[in-house]
Amino acid sequence: MESSNIAAAGIQSAVARFEESARRTERAQLDRLAEEQVTRRLAERDVEANVKVVQAADEMTGTMLDVRA
């Protein structure tokens, strides 16, 4: 399903943003710590939202299969 593919890409993008923010935090001074924390929190929320899209698509597929059976 297209929505699952889009959600998977969204998950990958959010994980990449999270990891890059963690690397910046590791290298940088603490002056941008709050900004990086917000970046990572937003990436976490993006992952959660995209997981819900995958779950909803899976449920819809299951429902369609049940209806056709």
Side-chain angles (χ1 to χ4, degrees):
M1 256 185 135
E2 186 177 338
S3 58
S4 293
N5 293 338
I6 293 169
I11 291 169
Q12 290 175 338
S13 173
V15 168
R17 286 194 323 271
F18 185 95
E19 290 173 346
E20 182 56 33
S21 175
R23 282 191 287 276
R24 283 192 305 265
T25 299
E26 182 179 48
R27 292 187 310 257
Q29 299 295 325
L30 296 178
D31 59 340
R32 295 189 59 194
L33 184 60
E35 182 180 330
E36 295 298 343
Q37 182 67 23
V38 170
T39 298
R40 288 191 300 276
R41 193 61 65 122
L42 289 172
E44 289 175 356
R45 296 298 175 253
D46 286 350
V47 168
E48 291 170 359
N50 281 296
V51 165
K52 289 190 182 290
V53 169
V54 171
Q55 290 171 337
D58 186 50
E59 288 176 18
M60 288 173 44
T61 300
T63 300
M64 289 179 0
L65 291 173
D66 290 343
V67 168
R68 294 194 67 144

